[in-house]
Each structure stands twice: as structure tokens, then as C-alpha cells.
Amino acid sequence: MEPVHPVSGVVSTRERILEVAGPIFADRGRRDATIREIVQQAGVNQAAVNYHFRDKEGLYAEVLRQGVQTALDRYPPDGGVGVEATAAQRLHGVISATLHRYFSAERKAWHGRLMMREFEDPSPAFLALMDEIVGRLMPLVDEIVGLINPGLDAEQRWLCCHSVLSQCNSLPKAEFFFSRTRPAWDLLPKSERIEILTDHISRYCLAAIGGLT
């Protein structure tokens, strides 16, 4: 019989293990988290972990992948903006999708803590996952940058791609400072904050990229 979670109802053994493992990895770290604690909280035996994930490293890799993939499934890299749109519209789509993934309701608190651990001390699983995601995202942004300013060479486009993505990743983390300089910021609905940041980053990047020679 599959384990029953008191909140989410009946879930598969595999899902239950992942559900329990995420917060434990986030709180303890990849090295200090133990399979023993995970299986105890999940109400399964170690054989279930071995069957579904091979070992702790396999489980950890799947925890990472599932957290990232859930957000990508809902907010794909292009933001749902097709290649027939203008370069400005496509840039807006990429930025909007990136910010929505950051603020996504599906992004659980433990996932943010786990990502912070990974950025400080990247695991092989995280590096492989990031290589895969960057391999999908960078060519898309590079194409858009090239359309905005066809005069840029490959290195300039590469730097511009990182400038765009850095804006998307850094400004949401600066919300603490937004609220310190403009307290009303915290009172805005999340959807409005995302829209404001998307429009600002889009306009800023369009002006900067378009003005480069």
C-alpha cells in the first residue's frame, strides 16, 4: 500500500520520498543529510530509495531536477513568445518567464534555500543541470541580442546575454532594499511587482544593447 500524507492525500512512494527529501537536503545540506532520516520521515525503507533513485546522490539529483523542471514547465525559457514576434517582444518574454520562475508559487521555500547552498558549493548534479539549462537558454538570448543589435560580435553578444540574465536574477533578490527605499513596494500585488520589474529590465536592456557599438 502506498503511504498516505496527512495533507496532500495519497501519493506514490517515489513522490513521498522526494517531498520529504527536499526540505531535509535544504536544511542539512547534501553531505550531512542522511538516507536514514529521509526514509524515517517518508515512512518507507531504504530499499525504496535504492529502487527509485539508486542512492543518496541519485535522490539529490532528482530533487534538484524536479524543483527546476516544475518551474520550466510552467514558464518556458521563451515565455511563450514565438519567433515571429519582434526582438523586443521576445526579450520581454524571456525576462517575464525568468522572473515568474523566480517568484513562482510552485517554488517552495526549501527550494530557494537549496539553491543558495548550491551557488556557494556546487554539486556535480547541480553543475550538470545548470549546463543543460544554460545550453537551452543562452542560444535563445544570444539570437535575440543579435536581432536587437546586429553589429555586435560574438563576445559582445555573450556579455550582453549575461547582463540580461544577471538583471533577471539579481533584481528580485534586491526586493529587501526596494522595500527599505519605497515601503509601498511590499504592498503591491506580486503580479504587479513582476510586471514593473519585467518592463524596467526589458527597457533597460533594449537601450543598453541597442546603444553598444
Side-chain angles (χ1 to χ4, degrees), residues 45-99:
N45 56 42
Q46 185 166 340
V49 174
N50 296 339
Y51 175 76
H52 289 288
F53 307 102
R54 191 182 68 253
D55 55 21
K56 187 173 83 169
E57 292 302 315
L59 172 58
Y60 184 75
E62 187 57 27
V63 167
L64 284 176
R65 175 174 292 277
Q66 187 183 71
V68 171
Q69 192 60 52
T70 298
L72 282 171
D73 287 343
R74 180 153 189 179
Y75 305 107
D78 64 0
V81 180
V83 295
E84 71 282 352
T86 66
Q89 290 169 334
R90 295 178 66 188
L91 179 67
H92 191 279
V94 168
I95 293 169
S96 176
T98 305
L99 292 180

Side-chain angles (χ1 to χ4, degrees), residues 4-22:
V4 178
H5 187 278
V7 175
S8 56
V10 179
V11 296
S12 72
T13 298
R14 186 178 189 278
E15 291 170 335
R16 178 63 180 144
I17 294 170
L18 287 169
E19 184 179 89
V20 167

Side-chain angles (χ1 to χ4, degrees), residues 14-200:
R14 186 178 189 278
E15 291 170 335
R16 178 63 180 144
I17 294 170
L18 287 169
E19 184 179 89
V20 167
I24 292 176
F25 280 128
D27 292 339
R28 305 272 190 274
R30 176 175 60 96
R31 296 183 180 89
D32 293 337
T34 65
I35 290 296
R36 180 179 181 180
E37 181 178 7
I38 291 169
V39 298
Q40 284 180 343
Q41 289 197 24
V44 302
N45 56 42
Q46 185 166 340
V49 174
N50 296 339
Y51 175 76
H52 289 288
F53 307 102
R54 191 182 68 253
D55 55 21
K56 187 173 83 169
E57 292 302 315
L59 172 58
Y60 184 75
E62 187 57 27
V63 167
L64 284 176
R65 175 174 292 277
Q66 187 183 71
V68 171
Q69 192 60 52
T70 298
L72 282 171
D73 287 343
R74 180 153 189 179
Y75 305 107
D78 64 0
V81 180
V83 295
E84 71 282 352
T86 66
Q89 290 169 334
R90 295 178 66 188
L91 179 67
H92 191 279
V94 168
I95 293 169
S96 176
T98 305
L99 292 180
H100 274 91
R101 285 195 298 272
Y102 186 91
F103 286 107
S104 172
E106 292 80 13
R107 180 185 168 105
K108 299 178 181 178
W110 65 260
H111 189 253
R113 299 197 304 273
L114 187 60
M115 290 296 101
M116 289 304 296
R117 284 184 177 274
E118 283 293 345
F119 282 120
E120 292 178 359
D121 182 20
S123 66
F126 179 75
L127 292 174
L129 183 59
M130 288 300 102
D131 284 344
E132 180 182 333
I133 294 172
V134 170
R136 294 171 55 187
L137 187 56
M138 286 292 283
L140 170 63
V141 182
D142 181 82
E143 179 184 353
I144 295 171
V145 168
L147 291 172
I148 295 171
N149 190 337
L152 301 179
D153 60 28
E155 182 173 356
Q156 288 174 313
R157 292 198 309 274
W158 174 74
L159 289 169
C160 285
C161 289
H162 283 288
S163 293
V164 171
L165 297 177
S166 293
Q167 291 264 336
C168 295
N169 289 317
S170 63
L171 276 184
K173 296 174 185 176
E175 279 211 302
F176 169 81
F177 298 102
F178 290 2
S179 62
R180 303 307 296 173
T181 57
R182 184 173 294 180
W185 178 261
D186 284 342
L187 302 178
L188 296 175
K190 184 181 294 183
S191 59
E192 188 172 344
R193 282 182 279 157
I194 294 174
E195 184 178 351
I196 290 171
L197 289 177
T198 299
D199 288 343
H200 168 71

